Amino acid sequence: MSIAHELTFTHEFVPAPAGEASKHTLLLLHGTGGNEHDLLALGHRIDPSAALLSPRGKVLEQGMPRFFRRLAEGVFDIPDLKRRTQELADFVEAAAGHYGLDQNRIIAVGYSNGANIAASMMLLRPEVLHAAILFRPMVPLVPEPLPDLSDFQVLIAAGNQDPIIPTDETDRLAALLRNSGAEVTSHLANAGHGLTAEEIDIAANWIAAKLSIT
Ligand code: MLT
């Protein structure tokens, strides 16, 4: 097996339920301090017919797994972010080959730090994903030039009382993705950094409406 095909992240993979028509895979990306188990139930609620691929971030911050290093809260180590984004994108490609997933139907579902690496992957390796649900994201970086995201669908869910992510940061990300050509739906919940049940329903409805296979 070549290096390119090694599955280099600790991860969970849950195949789509037998008999289900969905050909989507949800790439579940946890927040700081999370792991590969955290978002499995959320993924199943968002799309019960999808396969689930859930890696664990390799960076440890005081023992807490993350997907890339930060220098302070909201201040990212950009060279590390770029390197980790490429590494995660390579893993997704390798996992798609290994598990026989349709590479054109991989949807990132990220929360907080996981949403930030998902956005970074869209910006730096857009061929790996085709849609994303970003819960509590920030602008990870601004690439030059911007990628062509004209085939992309994105749902952004922010909280109007989030102490970590100001809403203008979310607006900046939505503008960046729109300027890259993506179709962006934004939802501002009456919430803090934690997710609400309503937002999970919104994500499930969004997937069903935007991405359903007929
Ligand atoms: C990050 O570091 O990605 C963001 O500050 C979100 C977080 O993980 O707290």
Side-chain angles (χ1 to χ4, degrees), residues 25-138:
T25 299
L26 302 186
L27 173 67
L28 303 173
L29 300 167
H30 63 77
T32 301
N35 63 38
E36 66 277 22
H37 306 295
D38 275 15
L39 300 185
L40 293 174
L42 173 85
H44 190 69
R45 274 182 67 185
I46 289 178
D47 186 350
S49 65
L52 306 176
L53 177 64
S54 185
R56 186 198 306 174
K58 290 186 183 186
V59 170
L60 289 180
E61 182 184 275
Q62 297 175 340
M64 296 186 296
R66 289 174 50 84
F67 286 97
F68 57 89
R69 284 189 63 223
R70 63 180 164 184
L71 307 175
E73 192 164 287
V75 184
F76 302 150
D77 177 336
I78 297 297
D80 186 70
L81 170 58
K82 288 181 175 169
R83 188 167 68 81
R84 300 282 176 186
T85 299
Q86 298 295 341
E87 185 183 38
L88 183 61
D90 289 345
F91 164 76
V92 173
E93 285 181 341
H98 182 83
Y99 293 117
L101 310 175
D102 183 343
Q103 283 217 242
N104 297 318
R105 295 190 181 278
I106 296 180
I107 304 164
V109 178
Y111 170 66
S112 192
N113 180 247
N116 294 340
I117 193 124
S120 181
M121 241 194 310
M122 288 174 57
L123 293 165
L124 297 179
R125 288 282 294 274
E127 75 281 6
V128 171
L129 300 171
H130 89 289
I133 296 176
L134 306 176
F135 292 114
R136 309 296 184 270
M138 302 172 69

